[in-house]
Amino acid sequence: MTDKKISNKNSEILIVGAGPVGLTLAILLKQYDVPFRIIEKNNGPSNTTKAMAIHARTLEIFRELGIVDEAINQGFHIKTFSIQSEKKRILNYDFSRLEANWPILLSLPQPDVEKLMLQRLESLGGTVEWNTSLLDIEQTPDHDIHALIQKLDDQENAEWSSYRWLCACDGARSLVRKKLKLDFSGSSYDSYFMLTDADIKWDEPLDEGAFFLGSKEGYVAVAPIDGKGRYRLFFEIPHVLPPENEQPALDLPTFQKLCNERGKKMTLSNLSSMTIASFQHRQINQLKHGSIFLVGDAAHIGSPIGGQWMNLGLSEAYNLGWKLAFVYKGYANSKLLDSYHDERSLVAQEAEKTAHRLTKLITTKNPIIVYFRNNLLSLISNRRKIQNKLPSMISGHSYNYKQSSWVLNMLKSNEHLSWRQKFKKDYPRHPIPKAGELAPDIKLWMLPNVTSQELLLSSFYYHNYLLLIFTATDIGSLYVDSYLAMAQAITMNYQGIEARCVVDTIDIENLNVIADPDWRLHSRYHAKRGNLVLIRPDGYIAFQGTDPDKLISFMKDKLSFLERV
């Protein structure tokens, strides 16, 4: 390494990029009280629409960031999004079918998202360093990060500073990725797209979005922004992107002509955020390089169909944030950080496959596939089971870590109980939650005269692991004392974990107990007496079993938990 003067900024983490992904990470670290520095080369937040689809799983992340209410109030709720061809609905994504707290697709332009995040970060005492660029990075043999940073108003002076970790949230043209000389492998589609926001006069519902597929000209996707006639329009042009001097003009006549060619009667006006670009799908093969983490578009880009990529980046920041905090606070050793790549790379690959398949289905010109798509797919997708599954395939809830070596399921089939069968019609049929899946976000029972807001399960494991110890009995049982002793021992011996016994009781004052007098938690988890369910801070199930010793071994060996000194 070259000899240089290193300035310590007393920040453990450098976040490069203050878009939604970098801001999500900054808010999480601030809530965990982890020191960081966030820099952004631009002079302020975005002022163009860019991404606007906020999926239901992302709203759950917004809840943990403290901005969900504002986002819900400011955004527009899209009820359905369909794919239509020859006046047929061949696929219909009905978001009201989601088993989620917010069964919607929220339309909220990226500038509004960033504004909410900045307000939240500033309310926590955090700030973004605007007009500040990363020029170079070096990683020492001990994996310390040295970063050369320059202020725009002081271009003659650049300063080297040292950090424990660096998080690259600097987008598709990531300087960090280029400095690491990482292969951004992938390719471009044989199509390009043109995008604009516009007011539309037409006869379609104001609260629905749709892809209207053309036979030769390509499709047009129309997504409502505000429910008042303003939409995002996305046109596929089935040709390779021409040289800049041959590209179509970004103006009203061009976009109106594109609408007319696709057979949709709509009158456009008041255009903004006009863009032309090629379709691409690219990924790096490793999200973690020593003490450097690549997050969001810095690590992968893909087809915009399905609105996955901003949501994916936010989920990655959410996955990484609590792990950095646990290592920084000494709850776990640094081995835990390896799980970021192991878990999120699989999800990114699945998201890319989903977007790629949808793109191919929508853009195909093969007459046989077009016939199947337009005539048979609509029949298949009309089945209730398919209708229920479709929205979860893009909402973020179906992505899981079941293949990850960082989760463990030790419950056998005979160690579950069918509460529906036990109580007949009192309990609906739900699938058994698996390790690596999102834990069901269940509203807890509480006394009707309690005036505080209805408690959510997530409020118990916010910033901590939550261990649920299912007792399958009432508070007066002899079993409860031994389970309470187990809960107390685990909570006392390990920082970052809270253990609670799920008991048939109406006592909500006992901090070691989750009251479950109507057995809703037992039912949802198909839980028998002695079932142990360990839920991570991000809401995913890490462990299921019945043996406390195997749970402790898993926590120490795999999750790298450190016992209290």
Side-chain angles (χ1 to χ4, degrees):
M1 177 176 292
T2 58
D3 185 28
K4 60 178 70 70
K5 183 179 180 181
I6 304 296
S7 171
N8 274 312
K9 289 293 183 181
N10 298 318
S11 292
E12 291 286 309
I13 302 170
L14 175 64
I15 302 172
V16 183
V21 175
L23 290 172
T24 295
L25 188 55
I27 293 169
L28 283 172
L29 294 175
K30 196 66 180 176
Q31 290 179 158
Y32 275 105
D33 199 25
V34 177
F36 65 89
R37 182 184 185 188
I38 179 169
I39 62 173
E40 170 57 55
K41 64 182 180 180
N42 294 320
N43 61 7
S46 303
N47 54 21
T48 56
T49 302
K50 297 184 180 180
M52 55 175 279
I54 308 295
H55 285 295
R57 171 57 186 158
T58 303
L59 290 174
E60 295 167 5
I61 295 174
F62 281 6
R63 176 182 60 196
E64 305 307 328
L65 298 180
I67 62 171
V68 69
D69 291 337
E70 294 87 346
I72 290 289
N73 291 335
Q74 291 186 26
F76 178 69
H77 302 191
I78 299 176
K79 297 178 181 179
T80 61
F81 216 110
S82 61
I83 299 177
Q84 302 182 31
S85 182
E86 299 176 353
K87 300 182 179 179
K88 294 179 183 177
R89 289 186 178 231
I90 59 177
L91 284 177
N92 194 61
Y93 294 85
D94 182 353
F95 297 100
S96 67
R97 293 177 177 271
L98 284 171
E99 186 184 339
N101 279 289
W102 298 279
I104 58 171
L105 172 63
L106 188 72
S107 175
L108 187 65
Q110 183 171 326
D112 296 330
V113 173
E114 292 185 16
K115 183 178 179 180
L116 291 177
M117 289 182 170
L118 280 169
Q119 289 172 345
R120 174 60 176 162
L121 180 61
E122 290 168 358
S123 73
L124 294 169
T127 58
V128 174
E129 295 181 44
W130 305 105
N131 292 320
T132 305
S133 296
L134 177 71
L135 301 182
D136 201 0
I137 54 172
E138 292 182 354
Q139 190 163 192
T140 71
D142 295 330
H143 288 166
D144 287 336
I145 305 299
H146 294 169
L148 181 62
I149 296 173
Q150 181 184 67
K151 297 281 189 180
L152 183 63
D153 57 2
D154 189 15
Q155 296 190 21
E156 293 184 0
N157 295 310
E159 181 181 60
W160 285 95
S161 50
S162 180
Y163 305 90
R164 187 175 177 184
W165 298 295
L166 184 149
C167 301
C169 307
D170 51 344
R173 296 182 175 87
S174 171
L175 177 70
V176 175
R177 187 185 66 239
K178 293 173 183 176
K179 289 294 181 180
L180 291 174
K181 299 180 180 179
L182 301 180
D183 182 20
F184 204 32
S185 60
S187 62
S188 297
Y189 291 96
D190 293 330
S191 299
Y192 66 95
F193 67 86
M194 296 180 65
L195 178 150
T196 187
D197 295 342
D199 293 337
I200 300 179
K201 289 186 178 180
W202 63 341
D203 57 1
E204 296 289 336
L206 295 175
D207 60 353
E208 293 187 15
F211 287 91
F212 299 105
L213 309 188
S215 57
K216 296 181 179 179
E217 299 82 7
Y219 68 81
V220 56
V222 185
I225 293 177
D226 57 9
K228 299 177 182 178
R230 188 153 186 83
Y231 292 82
R232 160 71 57 85
L233 289 94
F234 190 98
F235 298 89
E236 181 225 357
I237 315 296
H239 306 287
V240 175
L241 182 66
E244 187 172 350
N245 61 348
E246 299 177 16
Q247 292 176 5
L250 295 174
D251 56 22
L252 178 58
T254 299
F255 282 103
Q256 186 63 64
K257 182 174 182 290
L258 289 171
C259 290
N260 299 339
E261 289 175 348
R262 284 153 178 75
K264 292 306 298 180
K265 294 182 179 179
M266 60 178 81
T267 302
L268 308 184
S269 62
N270 194 20
L271 272 57
S272 65
S273 300
M274 292 173 283
T275 303
I276 184 169
S278 61
F279 278 101
Q280 297 186 59
H281 56 107
R282 301 184 182 278
Q283 290 194 22
I284 59 173
N285 59 17
Q286 181 65 239
L287 301 179
K288 178 180 181 290
H289 295 264
S291 297
I292 299 175
F293 305 87
L294 288 97
V295 193
D297 287 356
H300 40 62
I301 57 174
S303 168
I305 294 175
Q308 295 295 293
W309 299 103
M310 182 177 73
N311 293 274
L312 189 71
L314 297 180
S315 295
E316 287 173 354
Y318 191 46
N319 179 283
L320 178 60
W322 70 266
K323 293 173 181 177
L324 287 169
F326 266 54
V327 175
Y328 169 76
K329 288 177 173 288
Y331 298 169
N333 69 41
S334 59
K335 187 174 71 171
L336 177 64
L337 298 176
D338 293 338
S339 67
Y340 170 66
H341 167 78
D342 294 346
E343 292 179 346
R344 293 308 306 184
S345 63
L346 293 174
V347 173
Q349 290 170 24
E350 182 61 30
E352 197 277 333
K353 288 178 183 177
T354 298
H356 185 66
R357 289 168 184 158
L358 272 173
T359 300
K360 288 296 185 182
L361 177 69
I362 289 173
T363 61
T364 182
K365 300 299 182 289
N366 184 307
I368 297 175
I369 299 176
V370 168
Y371 177 83
F372 170 80
R373 181 193 71 191
N374 293 353
N375 294 279
L376 300 182
L377 189 58
S378 60
L379 297 177
I380 297 172
S381 65
N382 278 334
R383 297 178 180 178
R384 177 172 294 183
K385 186 175 181 180
I386 301 297
Q387 289 177 342
N388 290 338
K389 186 176 181 179
L390 278 173
S392 67
M393 292 176 66
I394 62 173
S395 70
H397 291 94
S398 65
Y399 298 135
N400 61 72
Y401 307 134
K402 288 191 292 185
Q403 298 181 49
S404 171
S405 61
W406 300 83
V407 303
L408 181 61
N409 184 55
M410 301 195 70
L411 282 182
K412 301 175 183 177
S413 58
N414 63 354
E415 292 174 321
H416 291 290
L417 185 65
S418 173
W419 289 89
R420 179 182 174 88
Q421 181 179 3
K422 184 178 180 66
F423 287 98
K424 307 299 182 186
K425 296 181 180 179
D426 291 344
Y427 289 90
R429 181 180 287 113
H430 291 293
I432 299 172
K434 302 290 197 308
E437 294 179 340
L438 275 169
D441 200 4
I442 304 169
K443 293 181 179 179
L444 300 179
W445 178 90
M446 63 181 301
L447 290 171
N449 61 347
V450 175
T451 58
S452 59
Q453 293 183 351
E454 192 170 32
L455 295 176
L456 295 173
L457 183 58
S458 63
S459 65
F460 280 89
Y461 59 75
Y462 184 54
H463 287 176
N464 290 296
Y465 275 79
L466 171 68
L467 176 63
L468 298 177
I469 304 173
F470 287 93
T471 67
T473 188
D474 60 56
I475 195 67
S477 170
L478 295 176
Y479 291 103
V480 173
D481 286 344
S482 62
Y483 289 132
L484 287 172
M486 182 200 308
Q488 186 175 14
I490 290 175
T491 301
M492 290 294 294
N493 290 331
Y494 296 93
Q495 297 183 83
I497 184 169
E498 299 290 337
R500 298 286 184 267
C501 295
V502 185
V503 182
D504 179 357
T505 181
I506 60 172
D507 180 10
I508 62 172
E509 301 300 326
N510 189 335
L511 296 179
N512 295 314
V513 165
I514 294 179
D516 196 31
D518 58 1
W519 298 75
R520 67 179 65 180
L521 276 177
H522 283 84
S523 165
R524 187 63 184 83
Y525 280 88
H526 297 244
K528 297 178 71 172
R529 180 180 300 146
N531 283 182
L532 306 172
V533 180
L534 183 65
I535 304 173
R536 308 184 334 179
D538 58 0
Y540 284 86
I541 299 173
F543 174 91
Q544 290 189 109
T546 59
D547 188 335
D549 290 336
K550 291 181 178 178
L551 168 65
I552 297 299
S553 177
F554 172 74
M555 289 168 52
K556 288 181 177 180
D557 298 340
K558 200 60 186 177
L559 300 181
S560 308
F561 262 95
L562 303 175
E563 292 186 70
R564 289 181 185 268
V565 178

